[in-house]
Amino acid sequence: MKTAKNYFRGCLLGGACGDAMGYPVETMDWNQIRSEYGAHGITKLPINEERNEALFSDDTQMNIMTVDGLLWADKKAKERGIYAYTSSLFYCYQKWLYTQTGRFADKNYNFLLGGEILENKELFARRTPDKVNISTLEGCINGKYGTMKRPLNQNPGTGAVMRAAPVGLYFYNDPKMAFRIGAESAAITHGHPDAYLPAGFLACLIAQLVRGKDLESAVVRALDELETWPEHENTRDLIEKARSLAAQMNRSGNILSVNELEMANRIDLAAIGSGETGSELIALSIYCALRYSDNFEQAILLAVNQGGNSDTVAAVCGAILGTYLGMDEIPYAWVNKIECSILLVHGADKLLESVM
Ligand SMILES: [Mg+2]
């Protein structure tokens, strides 16, 4: 049954499962994936033998920090009436920087060491962390971080979109606000509209899905909001392309066939791009989600078996469909093996409690 709890957990676990599926092939193109894993590409959740768990990458590590930042901001808002969502998120991304490099950008942030989230040693694993996130966060001294008005760079990369989905959960009652805070949280590290607008779009889309919209209508509503922002054209055009390509699909059944995978790689996915910019990433994720909107597993298999940025496309697609379909539609074999599953479930539940 779809309940708010099921949506919230589905978002975080769905994103983590997509990330863990795509992480081993994130740098491979489709030909390399095929020669390594066979004609169907990667089909099983990769399990780390030593840990007997599936390992996720920086995408999910940062989503966990986004949840932490939102809960912290929520507490400040309720206790002291201080609304500081973006700065709380910035400090939590500094905590992420600490997990990856062993230091904050500035000694003044050492007070963050008391944060409970840093007790989770699994989060200190380095799994090809996004370079722009590392270098930009390292430069943020004296509490200064990037904003849309005062960007720190003009980077259109994907490292900000991948951590925006929980913003949509927290602000599900106000999709417009979800867009704004999603975009602001992205601009902390990524100053190009092709990076921060897709993050706003994703948060707004997640909010619409929690409100019970079907996937297609949620995409349309989030597009309406996107169009109110300056410099939205590239992101809008790519999402529209993904929508029309997904609508033209010639789906043969419920299971992704080798033929379909070949066609999708050669024609549709190639037409959208490689997923190296935020705009391409959101469009590829939406294409995969719309194409298999009733089947979480097949959508993720399509997302990971493509030539682009597999872990991030699958992580974003997983967050979208996990929210839309709910946790119960994610294969149990995946949820059962994903690392830090208790942390993810608790994070989702705490976020839900904070907005009830
Ligand atoms: Mg990654």
Side-chain angles (χ1 to χ4, degrees), residues 242 268-270 272-276 279-289 303 306 308-309 313 317:
D268 293 359
L269 295 161
I272 298 168
S274 62
E276 295 305 322
S279 307
E280 289 176 2
L281 161 69
I282 193 74
L284 288 169
S285 310
I286 284 169
Y287 171 84
C288 297
Q306 43 91 28
N309 190 355
V313 174
C317 174

Side-chain angles (χ1 to χ4, degrees), residues 26 57-59 311:
E26 71 169 321
S57 76
D58 59 332
D59 307 48
D311 62 331

Side-chain angles (χ1 to χ4, degrees), residues 51 53 61 119-125 127 339-340:
R51 302 249 311 263
E53 283 180 321
Q61 293 169 341
E119 288 166 18
N120 296 283
K121 294 302 165 213
E122 297 94 331
L123 298 181
F124 286 67
R127 310 246 165 82
E339 69 171 330
C340 299

Side-chain angles (χ1 to χ4, degrees), residues 56-257:
F56 51 65
S57 76
D58 59 332
D59 307 48
T60 307
Q61 293 169 341
M62 289 203 95
N63 268 323
I64 290 171
M65 292 304 176
T66 298
V67 172
D68 196 51
L70 291 167
L71 291 171
W72 191 23
D74 184 76
K75 199 165 165 239
K76 280 193 264 191
K78 283 178 183 150
E79 287 177 4
R80 292 184 270 155
I82 299 169
Y83 293 87
Y85 295 105
T86 312
S87 65
S88 298
L89 287 166
F90 164 69
Y91 284 123
C92 288
Y93 300 146
Q94 280 293 326
K95 291 184 196 171
W96 174 78
L97 178 69
Y98 182 84
T99 66
Q100 301 298 296
T101 64
R103 54 184 183 271
F104 300 111
D106 186 325
K107 279 199 293 250
N108 292 326
Y109 306 153
N110 281 351
F111 74 95
L112 296 169
L113 279 172
E116 247 176 69
I117 198 76
L118 294 178
E119 288 166 18
N120 296 283
K121 294 302 165 213
E122 297 94 331
L123 298 181
F124 286 67
R126 266 183 85 105
R127 310 246 165 82
T128 52
D130 184 84
K131 291 192 182 100
V132 180
N133 280 332
I134 296 272
S135 62
T136 311
L137 289 169
E138 278 178 331
C140 292
I141 54 170
N142 295 326
K144 285 212 180 77
Y145 52 82
T147 65
M148 289 181 272
K149 280 205 176 119
R150 284 180 303 281
L152 294 180
N153 57 38
Q154 274 302 312
N155 197 293
T158 59
V161 187
M162 70 188 196
R163 59 178 192 239
V167 175
L169 296 178
Y170 182 79
F171 289 104
Y172 84 92
N173 271 319
D174 187 349
K176 215 174 169 56
M177 184 72 164
F179 195 112
R180 170 165 297 281
I181 301 294
E184 280 180 4
S185 74
I188 290 172
T189 52
H190 288 68
H192 195 285
D194 286 359
Y196 63 71
L197 293 179
F201 178 91
L202 175 63
C204 183
L205 175 64
I206 295 286
Q208 297 287 0
L209 292 172
V210 175
R211 296 165 71 79
K213 292 271 175 305
D214 67 73
L215 184 56
E216 178 63 31
S217 337
V219 170
V220 171
R221 296 268 181 126
L223 275 168
D224 289 345
E225 182 57 32
L226 172 69
E227 285 179 346
T228 67
W229 287 74
E231 301 187 79
H232 66 268
E233 291 78 5
N234 190 38
T235 303
R236 178 201 59 202
D237 293 352
L238 283 166
I239 294 170
E240 290 290 11
K241 189 184 271 183
R243 278 179 77 205
S244 77
L245 288 167
Q248 290 161 23
M249 69 177 176
N250 187 9
R251 201 169 118 178
S252 45
N254 284 327
I255 303 296
L256 184 63
S257 68

